[in-house]
Amino acid sequence: MSTLPIICFRDGSPPLPDTLNTSLKDSATSGINGLDVEQCFPMQKNITMKLTNNQISPGVWYIGLFNGIGPTRTQSKMIIRGPSYSFIANISVEACTNSMMRGDFCNSSVYPLSCAASVVSNALEAKVNKSMLENLVTCKSNFEAFCVHEGVPNFFSLDIMNVAEEIIITATNIRFNVTGSNDISLMCFVRHGAMPSVTSNDYSIDISKSPLVIHSPLIGRWYISIVPVNLTKTQDNNVRVCYSVESQVPQCPLGKAGPNCTMDSYLLQTFVRRGSTPFESYYLPVVGGVSYDSANFPLEPLLENSSYIGEPDNVWTYFLLDIPRGAAGGNIHIQLSSDMKISYEVYARFGGLPSLDSWDYYYANKTRRSDPSVFFTLYDSSDAKVNFYIMYAREGTWGIGLRHLNTSSDSMKGLTSMSISLERCPKRCSSHGECKFSFDASGLTSYSFCSCDRNHGGFDCSIEIVTHQGHVRQSIFLIVSNAAAILPAYWALRKKALAEWVLYTSSGISSGLYHACDVGTWCALNYNVLQFMDFWLSFMAVISTFIYLATIDEVLKRAIHTAVAILTALMAATKATRSSNVILVIVIGALGLFIGWLIEISTKYRSLSFSIGISFNFSQCFQTIKRWIYNLAKTLLRRYHWAFALAGFLALAMAAISWTLETSETYWFWHSIWHITIYTSSFFFLCSKANIEDTENQLPTNGNYELTHQDSLPRTG
């Protein structure tokens, strides 16, 4: 699960996979049920998905691809290895160019209901509070009446632009186009953001019997479908039902909300934090007596005018705030603190005012709150403090409702402060990581995420993955294992190979400093500088071991070292951690040794010649070449102690095996083995080089091929 590539879908804000609320489905082709709930699927070679207008709604739809689920997803890794995945996505949206048309061929109309202030009817005045009637809006179609056959639906659209208390949908002037029919039934289906149907709708009623009332409707576009059903059968097959549709949208005056406009409502003004990441801000009510220097504001001055007449346990205070466009990757942070027991319940709802029946997230007490999920994260739930986040809040209007408890008790005498802010990372990544932000592929939405340290993970870095004892153990292994560099450094110093001694010593020290910084113990220099030095000197040390085995002039060695230093510096500066670098370094080292041998042969052996000019006697040529190869092999056998060379190759093989076994979880162990084996292999290779002068004194001389240390120039006859 921690390495499984997955694809997630969510409507309105970016997805955030987490083990608390995400259960993988078998296949994305099985379909999506409600995009308001995040849904994740394993990535497959090919995924094709088709969603109808009954499954999607107007707005922003987010698709996220992730490498795994779980707390280790955000944990910083010392290495990142494993398969990489590329993908190609093609998303097409088939829609009518005219938003007021529908159907597969865009040949059916959706009739908009145009809204305007209107005169209140006597029937409505008896049902609605007088203060709501002052802001009443009536919406009607441009057509006076619609006449349709049984089972033929008509679709209407209604736009709610501001927070409203309710929507009242009525059908008027209901009649038949012929006489002799009296039984009429008009089924009304209503849905927010998508086309309603008999099986997919938010509200339904027989509108011919009574109007449909929707309390605290969401902001946005509502779709209405009206279908005549169960008409009385007549001999006339052309019988149709005629009706007119209208809706009333009562709204409370400014500063009031709730049933009968008896509750207080406050608009929250946005204050952008200075010098912060994009969209970080806090919200304060637009009233007098509130200090704008702090994100906290007292509740008691705002609640002292609240009316407790009626139901004392159903008193609310509402706050309205706007999440700006492009900030869907931010988090709403709500805090309450009091010097006594908090006597409020907190409810939040997107696009409208919350209530006991309609809410997206809520907190009542320690045992009554929203279901645990990554999108509702509770940090403090004591009697005197409440602290929670709404993760990746959708863009638009949010309603925050405070439900008063014990309004008649002495608990109202306590002082309670509240803060509402838009933050990038929850709890500042719990002080165990770095808060980073990026933009989606379109560049229109900024989202934030935590990049945790080596020991923590989770979306907020609050989960301890590596204990303190484990951290100490990993640090000791990775740092102390570099002491193996003492072996080749000691032997190089003993043989007065000062350049190699400097390389091995510097490589061991820089590797220890780099891993001390990598595990979070101590950083002597910038991390990138330490990483470059570690890899560069390691590459140089391995290649220099091979070059050391060749006996060539120091001038030529310096030339080869210079070329190798430039090449390895480029490798260390560009993708130093790729696995192919290990093979490349060994190949370069072997190539350097081979070049050294060629130079040595060309300078210390006479040219292959024959005693009498150029001989065309192939038998004599063959014998000469055979004798030359024999002397060369004999020289190589005497040049090296092959027992040490074999031990060096075995240690090098162990180093290669440990490198391939490294994973994110076992890196600290196998990389420590890598340190020990790679330095040990260098030590054995250095020991395998025999004393040149001693071996040369034992070589038999030959008239044509003579290996000397002082005079290596070819002689001419």
Side-chain angles (χ1 to χ4, degrees):
M1 292 291 289
S2 62
T3 58
L4 179 68
I6 60 173
I7 182 171
C8 297
F9 303 88
R10 192 169 184 234
D11 183 23
S13 62
L16 186 61
D18 190 87
T19 54
L20 290 177
N21 75 323
T22 303
S23 58
L24 289 179
K25 296 188 176 181
D26 293 336
S27 172
T29 57
S30 61
I32 291 181
N33 299 319
L35 288 177
D36 54 331
V37 179
E38 179 189 51
Q39 299 181 56
C40 297
F41 307 88
M43 283 291 290
Q44 299 174 1
K45 183 166 183 163
N46 292 293
I47 295 177
T48 302
M49 181 184 302
K50 183 178 180 180
L51 304 176
T52 66
N53 59 358
N54 289 327
Q55 296 173 281
I56 58 177
S57 59
V60 183
W61 188 28
Y62 289 88
I63 306 173
L65 293 103
F66 303 89
N67 272 326
I69 296 179
T72 58
R73 183 178 60 85
T74 56
Q75 180 194 19
S76 295
K77 310 295 192 304
M78 297 182 189
I79 60 166
I80 300 177
R81 289 184 187 159
S84 60
Y85 303 94
S86 60
F87 64 92
I88 298 175
N90 178 32
I91 303 174
S92 60
V93 179
E94 300 178 3
C96 301
T97 55
N98 186 348
S99 61
M100 292 296 102
M101 302 298 292
R102 66 174 187 87
D104 294 337
F105 302 99
C106 298
N107 55 357
S108 301
S109 298
V110 177
Y111 302 101
L113 300 181
S114 303
C115 301
S118 63
V119 179
V120 181
S121 63
N122 294 331
L124 185 62
E125 186 174 6
K127 300 179 181 179
V128 180
N129 184 279
K130 183 178 180 180
S131 58
M132 299 171 62
L133 299 178
E134 297 175 359
N135 299 278
L136 180 67
V137 175
T138 300
C139 305
K140 297 181 179 180
S141 173
N142 294 329
F143 296 91
E144 292 185 0
F146 297 89
C147 297
V148 294
H149 291 92
E150 179 181 5
V152 177
N154 273 331
F155 288 86
F156 307 88
S157 66
L158 173 63
D159 291 328
I160 303 298
M161 307 303 297
N162 301 306
V163 175
E165 302 310 313
E166 58 187 22
I167 300 176
I168 304 173
I169 302 174
T170 57
T172 59
N173 301 324
I174 303 174
R175 65 188 187 280
F176 284 99
N177 65 331
V178 295
T179 58
S181 298
N182 296 319
D183 190 6
I184 299 176
S185 181
L186 291 177
M187 289 302 301
C188 177
F189 304 99
V190 181
R191 192 178 181 190
H192 179 263
M195 292 293 177
S197 64
V198 177
T199 57
S200 300
N201 61 79
D202 297 330
Y203 303 92
S204 63
I205 196 175
D206 185 352
I207 202 172
S208 63
K209 303 297 189 294
S210 61
L212 174 62
V213 180
I214 303 174
H215 298 285
S216 298
L218 294 175
I219 296 175
R221 177 163 293 182
W222 289 82
Y223 290 95
I224 305 168
S225 172
I226 298 180
V227 187
V229 295
N230 299 328
L231 300 184
T232 301
K233 300 299 181 181
T234 63
Q235 295 180 352
D236 189 353
N237 294 328
N238 196 34
V239 61
R240 290 181 294 174
V241 178
C242 299
Y243 58 89
S244 299
V245 178
E246 69 176 27
S247 64
Q248 287 83 28
V249 185
Q251 297 178 346
C252 292
L254 185 64
K256 292 295 182 179
N260 298 323
C261 301
T262 56
M263 312 300 177
D264 291 330
S265 176
Y266 297 93
L267 293 176
L268 298 183
Q269 184 176 351
T270 305
F271 293 85
V272 179
R273 297 185 188 273
R274 296 181 180 179
S276 61
T277 53
F279 299 111
E280 276 212 336
S281 56
Y282 59 92
Y283 298 88
L284 295 175
V286 187
V287 293
V290 175
S291 174
Y292 296 152
D293 297 331
S294 173
N296 299 318
F297 58 90
L299 288 178
E300 279 68 29
L302 305 178
L303 309 180
E304 61 184 5
N305 295 327
S306 299
S307 175
Y308 303 134
I309 300 175
E311 303 178 25
D313 290 334
N314 196 31
V315 178
W316 294 71
T317 300
Y318 297 100
F319 300 95
L320 298 176
L321 61 97
D322 283 324
I323 303 298
R325 180 176 295 274
N331 313 303
I332 298 178
H333 186 197
I334 299 178
Q335 298 182 86
L336 277 81
S337 60
S338 177
D339 54 1
M340 299 182 66
K341 184 177 180 180
I342 294 178
S343 57
Y344 304 102
E345 295 178 352
V346 186
Y347 294 79
R349 188 186 184 203
F350 174 75
L353 296 178
S355 65
L356 291 176
D357 300 322
S358 301
W359 45 264
D360 294 327
Y361 307 98
Y362 81 98
Y363 174 83
N365 51 48
K366 296 180 181 180
T367 58
R368 291 181 53 241
R369 59 179 184 269
S370 296
D371 293 335
S373 74
V374 71
F375 293 104
F376 178 83
T377 306
L378 180 67
Y379 287 105
D380 292 317
S381 59
S382 62
D383 291 338
K385 189 173 183 180
V386 176
N387 177 10
F388 66 87
Y389 284 84
I390 299 175
M391 302 291 295
Y392 285 178
R394 299 181 63 170
E395 304 167 0
T397 301
W398 281 81
I400 308 296
L402 293 183
R403 180 171 177 250
H404 302 214
L405 303 176
N406 303 321
T407 55
S408 59
S409 66
D410 293 336
S411 62
M412 294 300 297
K413 297 179 181 180
L415 298 178
T416 304
S417 63
M418 184 177 186
S419 70
I420 303 175
S421 57
L422 182 65
E423 299 180 2
R424 304 310 301 176
C425 290
K427 212 176 180 181
R428 304 296 179 185
C429 298
S430 305
S431 300
H432 295 304
E434 181 182 359
C435 183
K436 297 183 178 181
F437 71 93
S438 184
F439 292 88
D440 69 338
S442 68
L444 300 178
T445 299
S446 168
Y447 65 93
S448 56
F449 57 93
C450 287
S451 178
C452 307
D453 58 25
R454 299 284 192 260
N455 304 325
H456 295 82
F459 67 94
D460 58 353
C461 303
S462 62
I463 300 176
E464 185 181 54
I465 298 176
V466 181
T467 63
H468 177 70
Q469 293 80 3
H471 174 73
V472 173
R473 181 175 60 253
Q474 294 181 10
S475 302
I476 292 175
F477 267 73
L478 287 169
I479 298 173
V480 177
S481 60
N482 289 282
I486 296 176
L487 295 175
Y490 161 75
W491 191 260
L493 184 61
R494 180 181 177 183
K495 293 298 182 179
K496 298 182 180 180
L498 298 182
E500 285 75 9
W501 171 72
V502 171
L503 269 177
Y504 293 126
T505 305
S506 302
S507 175
I509 294 175
S510 64
S511 181
L513 293 176
Y514 164 68
H515 286 290
C517 182
D518 196 28
V519 298
T521 302
W522 175 64
C523 292
L525 295 172
N526 180 271
Y527 176 82
N528 293 329
V529 174
L530 292 174
Q531 185 184 60
F532 171 80
M533 292 297 295
D534 174 40
F535 282 88
W536 180 50
L537 292 176
S538 298
F539 295 160
M540 284 293 298
V542 173
I543 297 175
S544 295
T545 302
F546 286 92
I547 298 176
Y548 174 81
L549 297 178
T551 306
I552 56 177
D553 189 80
E554 289 297 326
V555 175
L556 297 175
K557 276 190 177 182
R558 287 198 297 269
I560 296 177
H561 274 142
T562 303
V564 168
I566 296 174
L567 183 59
T568 53
L570 291 175
M571 293 170 55
T574 57
K575 297 182 179 179
T577 58
R578 57 188 171 188
S579 300
S580 59
N581 280 344
V582 176
I583 301 175
L584 188 59
V585 166
I586 295 177
V587 170
I588 294 174
L591 183 62
L593 176 60
F594 180 71
I595 293 174
W597 281 344
L598 291 180
I599 295 174
E600 182 180 354
I601 291 173
S602 65
T603 56
K604 291 187 178 182
Y605 287 92
R606 295 178 182 274
S607 300
L608 188 61
S609 59
F610 302 96
S611 58
I612 304 176
I614 301 176
S615 175
F616 293 97
N617 188 335
F618 290 101
S619 176
Q620 183 180 355
C621 288
F622 177 76
Q623 292 297 328
T624 303
I625 294 174
K626 182 179 179 180
R627 186 170 58 253
W628 184 84
I629 294 175
Y630 172 78
N631 290 333
L632 178 62
K634 191 174 181 180
T635 301
L636 290 177
L637 289 174
R638 292 182 177 183
R639 179 65 56 83
Y640 302 105
H641 301 301
W642 288 99
F644 285 109
L646 180 60
F649 281 114
L650 290 176
L652 186 62
M654 292 177 61
I657 293 174
S658 63
W659 180 276
T660 57
L661 291 177
E662 289 178 3
T663 63
S664 299
E665 294 77 15
T666 62
Y667 171 82
W668 63 275
F669 177 78
W670 288 113
H671 197 71
S672 301
I673 301 298
W674 156 268
H675 288 159
I676 297 173
T677 52
I678 197 66
Y679 285 126
T680 303
S681 68
S682 297
F683 170 72
F684 283 132
F685 282 131
L686 295 180
C687 295
S688 68
K689 186 176 181 180
N691 189 301
I692 302 299
E693 295 182 358
D694 295 342
T695 56
E696 292 301 320
N697 292 334
Q698 300 174 8
L699 283 174
T701 58
N702 182 277
N704 292 326
Y705 311 104
E706 183 178 2
L707 181 62
T708 62
H709 185 65
Q710 287 80 13
D711 185 7
S712 60
L713 295 176
R715 297 184 178 90
T716 59

